[in-house]
Amino acid sequence: MTSRTWTTLATGALLALLAPPSSAGEIAVEAHGGYFQMAAENSASALFGSRGGPTFGGAVRYTFWRGAFVSAGARTFSKEGERVFVSAPNSPEQKLGFPLSIRLTPIFATVGYRFRHGHTIVPYVAAGVAITSYTEESEVAGETFNSDSTNTGFVGSAGLEVGRGNFRFGAEVGFSAVPDAVGLGGVSKVYGEDDLGGLHAIGKLIVAF
């Protein structure tokens, strides 16, 4: 073969390696629903009687090169309980009878990789940042008190997507860390818990385009 032929073949091979597969450029819209468990376990148990509850939300995902993707979305989680007094970490809590409710809304942006992209079963991993909005509302002696804060943290997840058509299903587990945050009725200072993150396990309904 001539040098020109080798050059043509090498150029073609390089373009074939660098060119994204035909399945790249996929956009998907996801609906999320599942369970969230707070990292501040002692504070949550004292105020609400449990650490977790239902969470729901959604996201938009764009697969831009082979299995690499970016995603952005939000989920929300809320709990209702009552204010308590705790004198020390090992002391029993005393119920005060004042209603208390909180809402956590993390808005997240992640990058990740879909293994076996284009197949019927696609595992994936992702990591990124979450901006978490925290809202606390309580009523004491007929007067309502509100507090709000916004904190930035880390989020990581791993999941599995099933299906190859426009409609698919998925399942995901992950965690978030939002350190140096405030809230949880004031008892979080007693327990030394300042993380508003936690664990999540969700199911997904996915529409891909």
Side-chain angles (χ1 to χ4, degrees):
M1 294 185 181
T2 65
S3 59
R4 182 175 180 179
T5 302
W6 280 112
T7 301
T8 301
L9 290 174
T11 303
L14 180 60
L15 290 174
L17 288 173
L18 295 179
S22 59
S23 57
E26 179 184 81
I27 297 176
V29 179
E30 305 175 347
H32 299 174
Y35 181 83
F36 177 76
Q37 181 172 283
M38 301 180 70
E41 56 180 320
N42 294 313
S43 302
S45 296
L47 293 168
F48 312 115
S50 66
R51 296 173 57 187
T55 182
F56 61 91
V60 176
R61 187 193 73 230
Y62 176 58
T63 304
F64 59 91
W65 184 78
R66 300 185 187 275
F69 69 88
V70 292
S71 178
R75 284 189 293 270
T76 187
F77 165 81
S78 60
K79 293 286 282 183
E80 294 186 357
E82 64 178 285
R83 287 194 175 275
V84 300
F85 173 76
V86 182
S87 60
N90 296 323
S91 301
E93 65 268 10
Q94 301 176 29
K95 302 291 185 181
L96 300 179
F98 302 131
L100 172 71
S101 64
I102 67 163
R103 180 178 295 275
L104 292 169
T105 305
I107 301 172
F108 54 86
T110 64
V111 295
Y113 189 80
R114 294 162 53 81
F115 303 93
R116 293 167 44 87
H117 178 61
H119 290 71
T120 302
I121 300 177
V122 180
Y124 66 87
V125 294
V129 297
I131 301 174
T132 299
S133 169
Y134 173 82
T135 301
E136 179 180 302
E137 182 177 310
S138 64
E139 184 177 331
V140 179
E143 186 174 357
T144 301
F145 297 88
N146 297 281
S147 63
D148 301 277
S149 64
T150 301
N151 302 273
T152 302
F154 169 84
V155 61
S157 61
L160 197 69
E161 184 177 303
V162 180
R164 298 185 66 176
N166 296 107
F167 297 95
R168 309 170 192 172
F169 299 93
E172 177 181 298
V173 294
F175 72 97
S176 57
V178 189
D180 301 322
V182 296
L184 296 181
V187 300
S188 58
K189 294 182 180 180
V190 178
Y191 291 119
E193 297 175 330
D194 62 4
D195 193 336
L196 290 178
L199 303 174
H200 71 263
I202 59 172
K204 295 184 176 183
L205 176 60
I206 304 162
V207 181
F209 304 93

